[in-house]
Amino acid sequence: MFKKVLIANRGEIALRVIRACREMGIPNAAVYSNADRQSLHVLLADEAYFVGPPPSRESYLNVENLMKAIKKSGADAVHPGYGFLSENADFARLLKENGITFVGPSPESIELMGDKVQARKTMMDAGVPTVPGSKGAVTDLEELTRVVNEIGYPVIIKAAAGGGGKGMRIVKRPEDLELSYNAAKSEAMNYFSNDVVYVERFIQNPKHIEIQVFGDNHGNAVHLFERECSIQRRHQKLIEESPSIAVPEEVRRRMGEVAVTATKAIGYSGAGTFEFIFDNETKEFFFMEMNTRLQVEHPVTEMVTGYDLVKEQLNVAAGKKLSFKQEDITQNGHAIEVRVCAEDPETYLPSPGKIERCRHPQGPFIRVDSYAYPQYEVPIYYDPMVAKLIAWGKTRQDAIDRLQRALAEFTLSGIKTNIVLLRSILEQEKFIDGTYTTQFLEKDFKNRRDLFHFVDDRAFLIAAAIEAHNDLKNRSVEKMTDKSRWKDFGRIGALR
Amino acid sequence: MYFEGTSKGKKIEVEIFEHPTEWLITLNDGELKETHAVKKWDYQRMDDAISFLFENTSYMINVHGEGVKYNVYTRGSYREIPLHNDESLLHESLKGGGGLTGGDSLSSGMPGKIVDILVAEGDEVKADQPVLIMEAMKMENEMRASRDCVIKEIKVEKGQSVESGSVLIVYGDK
């Protein structure tokens, strides 16, 4: 096993990897930017190395500084987490050249799947169903218009180097095509330094279903069933669950088989995810992309299969064979994850700032992967997600009830969070009956029940009134003793 | 003490009298007027939170903010409650705070960078129409007009970095 693992990431995922290392007895090293000196991953790691100023580009994406930290720490393996450099083939290659193990697939696999246009071609060759669209990149507006006229509106324009909703635009009307094309290109340029885009048909009632796969360096590959991640806002996932009640047993089996075949076809090693767009009417599924890393939502798979995916990543990266075979893997019960973000629940705008109070939920079958703590300042530079809350239940309804209960126990004060939004979604009919699609928040949530109905309004008002009363009383006392003009102003009767 | 407040967009009048062992609080939203006697025993400040037993329902509450806006958190929910009277407004204006202004402009809630401006001065826009795109926390955020109005002044340029609270666009009436 490794002598030391350096975690080239931050936030909850850095904690997740630290915990796996601890349980395996592997010394671990964190890295941090100026904005993260007080982040929990730095506080909990065995060692911590400074890698630069707050902007990601200058720290967590700064390969030069990371290499220095790796050398200094003496780490012989690097876990990239998700985001940042986790799908950067050059970084993986550089590590390899320096004799350091990248905990993830080969640079070639990353490269192949990282280029969405290449990935699509490769998958078509491997017999994986794909959505109708441009055969490759579209080079100009003229070509785009021609392709779109062939496949029909609505269409979706995507960045070839993209992911996480960046550089992605849905176009519903011809008059929006040019604006959206330019917007997608400029966003792609901004985030990925690559403005190549492609286009495909936009499926009307889609679900997002993905299959977790795992390969090793000995030619073995398995799948760990599906996750449904259809609840998304601005193309970013918010709630994930496993299993999906929309997928019939026969389709589930086929999706798994297709994913394993494709995993073997590209000689993939480590944890990966095949993302499919799933037509809930026809139960057809089409390949969207493969994520060549650990996913944010991996805990739901861990909860239903019982396997620790991060430990398995480390095992496989160290050259061991997969510790489980396909027939060992079963889905037991149901798990749902919600992403708790520092953001306005109504506008989805980020709301960074200082967490005043933080109390995590506890109790049976609840898992909290969080890096929040009281008085912690959520930096403006990174992802607004501060915690993942996962509930397990024997049935789906058990898991939903448990999540509701746990969310009501969750205190994160001082900043706005989306906890009320998550609670509202969990009680919506379409969520409960499982017919929700990726457009749920945009389309079906319009007649949302009041986001703030969970607590008696009067309790809020009375508490605010008492605090306002006390504040004013205290301030008047200060001013009075200063012999200022507030003397005349003070409501002396209230002062005693 | 007398306060005017807003809860869920509804105007509320709040009157509060402190007695040695309790607060007498009258809430009046124009339709319903009710008075609550809240015993200090039932509203206790602890180290980490306030324990509020309201009509025997147990709330563990955190309140942050001062002056004219209070954020109240409990049971995974929260509420922003603007609450003011003449005295607190005067305190705020002396402090140099903005008090209760706003609604006539679009300002940034956090530091960020202006990616694109989708309107020009003099444009008529509808409520909820996107007016500019700002990048913050790795996301491009579409900022929308809060009401039907005319774009009176654009105070920022494409590519410009802005601080939290900066006024970006000033609205005018049609």
Side-chain angles (χ1 to χ4, degrees), chain A residues 15-34:
Chain A
L15 288 176
R16 173 70 189 88
V17 180
I18 290 169
R19 286 177 172 141
C21 289
R22 282 267 157 77
E23 290 173 23
M24 296 170 80
I26 307 169
N28 56 80
V31 294
Y32 65 98
S33 74
N34 274 334

Side-chain angles (χ1 to χ4, degrees), chain B residues 31-61:
Chain B
E31 291 164 23
L32 201 70
K33 183 175 173 180
E34 50 182 42
T35 300
H36 300 274
V38 176
K39 293 211 168 14
K40 291 191 175 174
W41 173 258
D42 286 335
Y43 189 92
Q44 296 194 11
R45 191 176 302 279
M46 304 176 300
D47 180 40
D48 189 47
I50 294 158
S51 165
F52 182 20
L53 301 180
F54 176 58
E55 294 175 348
N56 295 101
T57 303
S58 173
Y59 296 101
M60 189 152 56
I61 288 185

Side-chain angles (χ1 to χ4, degrees), chain A residues 13 24 65 86-87 104 134 143 153 198 220 232 246 274 289 295 363 365 369 383 404 417 422 425 437 444 448 492 495:
Chain A
I13 194 60
M24 296 170 80
N65 287 2
S86 61
E87 294 179 284
S134 58
E143 190 191 346
Y153 285 93
Y198 64 102
N220 302 304
Q232 307 181 352
F274 286 91
E289 59 181 49
Q295 301 274 100
F365 302 105
D369 282 24
D383 198 278
Q404 275 290 15
T417 70
L422 298 167
I425 296 170
T437 70
D444 305 314
R448 64 179 70 178
I492 294 165
L495 296 177

Side-chain angles (χ1 to χ4, degrees), chain A residues 104-228:
Chain A
S106 67
E108 292 74 26
S109 293
I110 299 174
E111 223 150 45
L112 182 63
M113 290 298 148
D115 183 333
K116 307 300 177 206
V117 176
Q118 261 321 106
R120 202 175 131 89
K121 281 184 183 157
T122 310
M123 286 302 125
M124 284 167 96
D125 291 344
V128 181
T130 57
V131 182
S134 58
K135 295 278 177 293
V138 285
T139 47
D140 54 26
L141 187 62
E142 205 179 310
E143 190 191 346
L144 176 70
T145 312
R146 194 162 38 75
V147 176
V148 170
N149 286 340
E150 266 173 42
I151 61 177
Y153 285 93
V155 296
I156 184 161
I157 303 173
K158 294 181 181 177
K166 309 292 187 323
M168 201 185 264
R169 285 290 185 286
I170 296 163
V171 194
K172 289 174 179 160
R173 306 172 307 176
E175 54 266 40
D176 295 339
L177 191 61
E178 185 170 358
L179 186 71
S180 302
Y181 174 63
N182 291 334
K185 272 175 96 83
S186 87
E187 205 170 299
M189 193 59 179
N190 249 327
Y191 284 105
F192 314 112
S193 309
N194 176 352
D195 72 349
V196 176
V197 297
Y198 64 102
V199 64
E200 54 188 37
R201 193 200 300 152
F202 180 66
I203 291 177
Q204 293 277 12
N205 277 311
K207 276 177 166 288
H208 175 117
I209 310 272
E210 58 187 32
I211 301 282
Q212 174 73 51
V213 295
F214 233 110
D216 65 16
N217 297 320
H218 307 274
N220 302 304
V222 298
H223 71 84
L224 293 96
F225 298 100
E226 82 281 14
R227 290 183 290 260
E228 165 152 13

Side-chain angles (χ1 to χ4, degrees), chain A residues 244-425:
Chain A
S244 163
I245 56 170
V247 180
E249 195 49 46
E250 149 65 15
V251 178
R252 175 174 294 121
R253 194 182 51 75
R254 228 165 355 106
M255 290 180 90
E257 280 171 10
V258 163
V260 170
T261 307
T263 307
K264 284 183 176 161
I266 58 172
Y268 190 84
S269 168
T273 296
F274 286 91
E275 294 192 337
F276 295 102
I277 192 163
F278 182 88
D279 189 325
N280 203 28
E281 301 305 312
T282 64
K283 307 290 178 191
E284 283 175 291
F285 58 95
F286 304 106
F287 172 79
M288 282 199 298
E289 59 181 49
M290 182 184 193
N291 294 318
T292 55
R293 55 169 160 84
L294 191 68
Q295 301 274 100
V296 177
E297 61 273 22
H298 74 276
V300 294
T301 300
E302 297 187 321
M303 299 290 270
V304 294
T305 63
Y307 292 108
D308 185 320
L309 298 190
V310 180
K311 283 189 191 171
E312 196 65 18
Q313 280 189 300
L314 291 163
N315 275 329
V316 165
K320 293 188 182 172
K321 281 187 181 168
L322 275 179
S323 71
F324 37 77
K325 293 194 167 58
Q326 190 65 62
E327 56 267 30
D328 301 334
I329 307 164
T330 54
Q331 287 172 302
N332 177 27
H334 201 99
I336 310 178
E337 172 184 280
V338 292
R339 301 190 187 187
V340 176
C341 300
E343 70 180 26
D344 188 303
E346 292 173 291
T347 62
Y348 313 143
L349 289 177
S351 166
K354 193 180 192 184
I355 295 170
E356 294 288 343
R357 306 292 182 176
C358 173
R359 286 183 293 270
H360 290 120
Q362 302 175 348
F365 302 105
I366 289 296
R367 167 173 170 182
V368 188
D369 282 24
S370 164
Y371 77 107
Y373 63 84
Q375 307 296 304
Y376 175 67
E377 177 115 21
V378 180
I380 61 164
Y381 302 97
Y382 316 111
D383 198 278
M385 188 181 83
V386 292
K388 302 188 300 204
L389 174 60
I390 306 104
W392 184 89
K394 197 79 191 154
T395 66
R396 185 167 183 267
Q397 192 57 49
D398 286 345
I400 293 174
D401 295 343
R402 220 162 244 150
L403 254 189
Q404 275 290 15
R405 186 269 294 169
L407 280 168
E409 267 180 44
F410 210 142
T411 297
L412 269 176
S413 72
I415 56 171
K416 282 186 187 175
T417 70
N418 62 346
I419 291 175
V420 285
L421 173 67
L422 298 167
R423 293 193 63 190
S424 281
I425 296 170

Side-chain angles (χ1 to χ4, degrees), chain A residues 359 413 450 457-458 467, chain B residues 8 34 43 48 64 79:
Chain A
R359 286 183 293 270
S413 72
D450 175 13
D457 288 330
R458 298 171 305 170
E467 296 308 310
Chain B
K8 288 179 165 177
E34 50 182 42
Y43 189 92
D48 189 47
H64 309 299
R79 190 71 52 80

Side-chain angles (χ1 to χ4, degrees), chain B:
Chain B
M1 256 180 230
Y2 171 82
F3 293 98
E4 278 175 32
T6 316
S7 174
K8 288 179 165 177
K10 215 170 180 184
K11 286 225 176 316
I12 308 243
E13 295 172 7
V14 184
E15 227 172 339
I16 174 165
F17 293 103
E18 184 172 0
H19 298 282
T21 57
E22 66 179 12
W23 288 282
L24 274 183
I25 298 161
T26 304
L27 306 175
N28 183 357
D29 68 358
E31 291 164 23
L32 201 70
K33 183 175 173 180
E34 50 182 42
T35 300
H36 300 274
V38 176
K39 293 211 168 14
K40 291 191 175 174
W41 173 258
D42 286 335
Y43 189 92
Q44 296 194 11
R45 191 176 302 279
M46 304 176 300
D47 180 40
D48 189 47
I50 294 158
S51 165
F52 182 20
L53 301 180
F54 176 58
E55 294 175 348
N56 295 101
T57 303
S58 173
Y59 296 101
M60 189 152 56
I61 288 185
N62 290 107
V63 183
H64 309 299
E66 53 171 337
V68 295
K69 201 175 97 186
Y70 290 82
N71 293 314
V72 186
Y73 299 80
T74 190
R75 297 190 173 193
S77 191
Y78 77 94
R79 190 71 52 80
E80 283 181 312
I81 299 184
L83 206 59
H84 64 276
N85 58 18
D86 290 348
E87 197 174 333
S88 62
L89 279 181
L90 191 53
H91 271 291
E92 277 310 289
S93 64
L94 290 177
K95 242 170 51 185
L100 283 187
T101 57
D104 280 335
S105 62
L106 172 72
S107 47
S108 61
M110 74 210 78
K113 197 174 125 192
I114 307 300
V115 177
D116 204 359
I117 299 167
L118 308 172
V119 290
E121 284 177 11
D123 283 4
E124 283 192 13
V125 295
K126 293 246 174 270
D128 220 28
Q129 182 178 332
V131 290
L132 67 77
I133 296 173
M134 184 171 131
E135 183 189 315
M137 290 187 105
K138 295 201 317 175
M139 297 285 291
E140 289 199 358
N141 303 289
E142 228 170 37
M143 317 269 287
R144 290 161 183 271
S146 55
R147 59 183 176 95
D148 293 0
C149 61
V150 173
I151 303 298
K152 197 163 149 195
E153 192 186 351
I154 296 173
K155 298 193 130 216
V156 289
E157 286 170 19
K158 204 167 150 174
Q160 186 179 331
S161 293
V162 294
E163 290 304 314
S164 176
S166 315
V167 174
L168 311 176
I169 290 180
V170 181
Y171 301 140
D173 291 315
K174 280 185 188 173

